[in-house]
Amino acid sequence: MLYLFQQVLNGLHSGALYALLAFGYALTNGILHRTNLAYGGVFAFSGQTAILAAVYGWQVLWLTLPATVAFGIVLAFAYAALLSLLLSRGVFEPLADRSPNTIAAATLGVLLVLTEVSRIAADTKDLWLPPMLAWPVVFAERPGFRATLTAIQLIDLAVIAAAIAAGGWTLARSRFGRRWRAVSDDPLAAALCGVDPRATFRQAVLGGGLAAALAGVLAALYYGNVSFGTGLTYGLKVLFVTAVGGYLSPVRAALGGAAFGMAESLWAGYFPGEWRDGWMFLFLVAMLVLVGAGRDSRQAV
């Protein structure tokens, strides 16, 4: 029973990262209504940027460890903001009225470019940060076994919960949230009512990019490494998770991401790890079929 409790604790951290990514993805896709394959690339690129900048600050600038970590975090968010601006103005807006497959192909190209830029910058090497705040916090124990989370995991959980809560409150209560919902429902009608759809869309893309950057930075600090090849895997998982949770509700998408992370952790604790991604993707496809069938039946009624 204590082993199950440990897997649940692990799932809280994994699910929090997926929840933050799903929230940011739905924030953009709620207005875009197109498949964005570059989102996982922004996540991986931000995490890799934080690591590369930290290594540079440590080895070349001779910064202290807190200063070099802060340097990496600042650069990761700066690059994420720049990428969001470029994606919004250079990809999403010009192709928004084209076929949905056009943006899917274009964002796949952006993902490949980000992956290659990260690989070249790292010289095809996996760079690692030292373990940070890795001391365990015990939640339960018995002779020979303790259920724990590390301090960095608890900090990650607190930061992600605060970020999602702030984002959910913003969407529910703020002027931006009202504009976001209006543009998501009908951008033409929103424009006729005095809302600027383009400005709202750019703000949503920026918010989604910063959410991906935060997830990338937190993953880098916890795992010590975010490989340049993880963007596609995470991007596809978040795409399916958000489709199940709902593209038009970032909070519901975040709940779906948290549930997926918990299920993934439980699978890793009890079943072969090499089959994890395959079975989890199969589970997501089955959920999509069931959700789609439920929507069709409600519409028929």
Side-chain angles (χ1 to χ4, degrees), residues 276-294:
R276 184 191 65 183
D277 286 345
W279 279 104
M280 293 309 298
F281 275 120
L282 181 62
F283 168 74
L284 288 175
V285 170
M287 288 299 297
L288 278 175
V289 172
L290 292 176
V291 170

Side-chain angles (χ1 to χ4, degrees), residues 9-301:
L9 291 177
N10 293 339
L12 289 176
H13 182 261
S14 176
L17 287 175
Y18 282 117
L20 181 58
L21 286 169
F23 184 94
Y25 185 90
L27 187 62
T28 298
N29 201 74
I31 296 180
L32 180 63
H33 301 293
R34 297 289 189 274
T35 300
N36 175 16
L37 295 177
Y39 191 75
V42 176
F43 157 76
F45 186 80
S46 299
Q48 188 76 1
T49 298
I51 293 172
L52 290 173
V55 171
Y56 179 82
W58 179 264
Q59 295 182 350
V60 179
L61 301 180
W62 293 1
L63 299 176
T64 62
L65 182 59
T68 194
V69 170
F71 178 64
I73 292 173
V74 169
L75 277 188
F77 278 102
Y79 272 108
L82 178 61
L83 279 172
S84 299
L85 179 64
L86 293 176
L87 280 172
S88 176
R89 297 190 177 186
V91 178
F92 296 146
E93 292 178 22
L95 301 178
D97 297 329
R98 306 288 183 88
S99 167
N101 294 332
T102 305
I103 285 186
T107 53
L108 177 59
V110 172
L111 169 65
L112 295 176
V113 169
L114 291 177
T115 301
E116 282 302 293
V117 169
S118 298
R119 182 188 65 80
I120 293 170
D123 197 20
T124 321
K125 298 176 182 177
D126 282 331
L127 302 176
W128 292 81
L129 295 177
M132 298 182 188
L133 304 177
W135 59 78
V137 177
V138 179
F139 287 84
E141 64 179 318
R142 68 183 183 191
F145 191 88
R146 296 187 301 173
T148 66
L149 285 176
T150 61
I152 189 64
Q153 286 178 300
L154 293 174
I155 293 173
D156 287 355
L157 285 170
V159 170
I160 292 173
I164 294 177
W169 182 91
T170 300
L171 290 175
R173 301 292 183 180
S174 71
R175 180 178 299 177
F176 167 75
R178 291 191 294 271
R179 294 199 305 264
W180 184 88
R181 291 192 298 273
V183 175
S184 176
D185 289 339
D186 192 328
L188 180 58
L192 292 174
C193 293
V195 176
D196 186 351
R198 180 170 297 182
T200 303
F201 177 67
R202 290 177 179 175
Q203 292 169 2
V205 174
L206 176 61
L210 293 179
L214 179 59
V217 166
L218 294 178
L221 294 178
Y222 171 64
Y223 294 109
N225 170 264
V226 177
S227 174
F228 40 79
T230 60
L232 179 60
T233 302
Y234 271 87
L236 289 176
K237 287 181 180 179
V238 171
L239 171 64
F240 279 95
V241 166
T242 310
V244 174
Y247 286 124
L248 303 181
S249 175
V251 175
R252 286 180 57 190
L255 292 175
F260 176 81
M262 182 65 69
E264 192 175 71
S265 176
L266 292 175
W267 174 277
Y270 290 95
F271 301 100
E274 59 270 18
W275 292 99
R276 184 191 65 183
D277 286 345
W279 279 104
M280 293 309 298
F281 275 120
L282 181 62
F283 168 74
L284 288 175
V285 170
M287 288 299 297
L288 278 175
V289 172
L290 292 176
V291 170
R295 289 172 182 169
D296 291 342
S297 63
R298 287 194 299 269
Q299 290 176 357
V301 173

